């Protein structure tokens, strides 16, 4: 797998300690991703040179970032890639790179050419992307329930000589590679592959922007799965918590379960919170109505 770094990781938004800490945390997540996937971080003259000169070199003067940036440079893997294909058309690049603070106008064209060359190899290629509100993330808020919706989960490229368009997914963690639909929804949603008793069922057309991923249910923003279940974050400050509030539509399944809302353990929750996709807790006043033998499947 070819991994291409997003230059926006290295844009310093003000010389303050919080922003320095943010970059240090992003560098840790980048290292974790590379370790978990064994991905090859692309060393490319037209990408790495400008990124280091324009963005990373100034950061190296900050004591807390000097060592992790040096370590990151050691992870770069040189590759000989095919030339930029002819008659290249791309989608999504302007949203990510045009007009971004700290990036000059050349970055959109630079990233499209580098990613097209990587995609031309036929190897899986991903963009290790930084999520940023109003760039590739929309934040929905209702009381203390916060839900983050990715708005750019893949880049599309088409060129002469290819057998069709090619996708480059925008990832931040291994789960996005193992379960690509989580790039569109949320990596914490449990699925059948996790052994979930009550799984999130991604729609077949989840890649399409015509599919609405988020809708409002009972005044709360929620991810809507293929069964019409609404998965909302609990009313815990900043979207924290180890479970999802799952609202079920009227029908035979809801009647069989006995409840129209369940609290389901999130993927990635500590083991003390039980298995992902199981019932996290049931309020005492609802326990008598709950039939814990009722289940649903995605197919």
């Amino acid at each position: 797998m070819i991994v291409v770094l997003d230059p926006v990781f290295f844009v310093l938004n003000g010389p303050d300690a919080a922003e320095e800490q943010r970059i240090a945390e992003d560098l840790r997540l980048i290292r974790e991703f590379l370790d978990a996937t064994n991905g090859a971080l692309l060393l490319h003259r037209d990408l790495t040179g400008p990124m280091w000169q324009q963005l990373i070199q100034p950061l190296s003067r900050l004591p807390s970032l000097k060592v992790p940036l040096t370590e990151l440079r050691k992870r770069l893997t040189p590759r000989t890639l095919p030339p930029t294909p002819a008659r290249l058309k791309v989608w999504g690049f302007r949203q990510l790179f045009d007009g971004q603070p700290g990036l000059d106008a050349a970055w959109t064209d630079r990233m499209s050419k580098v990613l097209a060359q990587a995609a031309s190899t036929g190897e899986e290629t991903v963009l290790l992307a930084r999520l940023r509100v109003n760039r590739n993330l929309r934040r929905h808020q209702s009381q203390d329930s916060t839900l983050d919706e990715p708005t750019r989960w893949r880049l599309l490229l088409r060129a002469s000589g290819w057998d069709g368009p090619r996708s480059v997914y925008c990832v931040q963690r291994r789960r996005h590679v193992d379960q690509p639909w989580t790039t569109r929804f949320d990596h914490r949603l449990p699925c059948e592959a996790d052994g979930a008793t009550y799984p999130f069922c991604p729609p077949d057309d989840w890649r399409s922007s015509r599919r609405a991923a988020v809708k409002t249910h009972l005044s709360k923003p929620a991810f809507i799965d293929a069964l019409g279940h609404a998965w909302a974050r609990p009313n815990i400050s900043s979207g924290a918590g180890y479970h999802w509030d799952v609202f079920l539509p009227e029908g035979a399944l809801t009647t069989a379960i006995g409840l129209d809302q369940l609290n389901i353990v999130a993927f990635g929750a500590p083991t003390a919170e039980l298995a992902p996709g199981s019932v996290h807790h049931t309020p005492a006043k609802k326990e008598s109505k709950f039939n814990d033998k009722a289940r649903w499947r995605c197919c």
Side-chain angles (χ1 to χ4, degrees), residues 82-91 93 112-122 155-168:
T84 303
R87 286 189 251 177
L88 176 65
K89 291 186 176 182
V90 300
W91 293 265
F93 286 81
S112 63
K113 288 180 178 178
V114 169
L115 284 168
Q117 291 173 21
S120 292
T121 65
L155 300 165
L156 281 175
L157 305 95
R158 182 191 292 272
S160 58
W162 291 0
D163 56 1
R166 299 187 181 181
S167 296
V168 172

Side-chain angles (χ1 to χ4, degrees), residues 80-294:
T80 300
L81 301 178
T84 303
R87 286 189 251 177
L88 176 65
K89 291 186 176 182
V90 300
W91 293 265
F93 286 81
R94 288 184 178 177
Q95 179 183 341
L96 289 187
F97 305 110
D98 269 16
Q100 287 298 311
L103 297 187
D104 62 41
W107 276 100
T108 302
D109 185 60
R110 180 179 292 132
M111 294 300 294
S112 63
K113 288 180 178 178
V114 169
L115 284 168
Q117 291 173 21
S120 292
T121 65
E123 294 182 48
E124 181 179 13
T125 299
V126 298
L127 175 69
L128 191 49
R130 180 188 169 196
L131 289 173
R132 181 193 257 176
V133 175
N134 297 326
R135 182 203 185 203
N136 52 358
L137 193 71
R138 181 179 298 120
R139 180 155 291 161
H140 302 269
Q141 184 81 37
S142 176
Q143 298 180 351
D144 285 330
S145 178
T146 302
L147 185 144
D148 285 344
E149 177 191 6
T151 58
R152 176 51 59 189
W153 53 95
R154 67 170 174 167
L155 300 165
L156 281 175
L157 305 95
R158 182 191 292 272
S160 58
W162 291 0
D163 56 1
R166 299 187 181 181
S167 296
V168 172
Y169 286 95
C170 302
V171 302
Q172 292 84 44
R173 57 192 74 241
R174 176 173 177 169
R175 177 116 170 129
H176 291 149
V177 176
D178 294 341
Q179 301 292 336
W181 60 268
T182 62
T183 60
R184 176 81 198 274
F185 293 91
D186 191 300
H187 70 276
R188 295 169 295 181
L189 289 163
C191 66
E192 286 188 323
D194 306 319
T197 307
Y198 301 94
F200 178 90
C201 301
D204 290 339
D205 61 347
W206 64 266
R207 296 173 180 83
S208 172
S209 59
R210 288 190 286 271
R211 158 68 65 173
V214 174
K215 293 183 179 178
T216 300
H217 184 85
L218 298 179
S219 300
K220 294 181 71 173
F223 290 113
I224 308 300
D225 72 7
L227 302 181
H229 299 165
W231 295 67
R233 297 303 301 153
N235 284 318
I236 301 175
S237 181
S238 301
Y242 296 121
H243 73 276
W244 292 88
D245 291 345
V246 184
F247 299 90
L248 312 181
E250 292 184 7
L253 176 63
T254 302
T255 300
I257 290 176
L259 299 174
D260 60 4
Q261 189 261 314
L262 298 174
N263 302 300
I264 303 300
V265 180
F267 175 85
T271 54
E273 303 291 331
L274 304 178
S278 62
V279 174
H280 184 268
H281 66 278
T282 303
K285 63 182 180 182
K286 295 183 178 181
E287 282 185 352
S288 62
K289 299 179 181 179
F290 177 45
N291 174 15
D292 64 358
K293 300 295 189 293

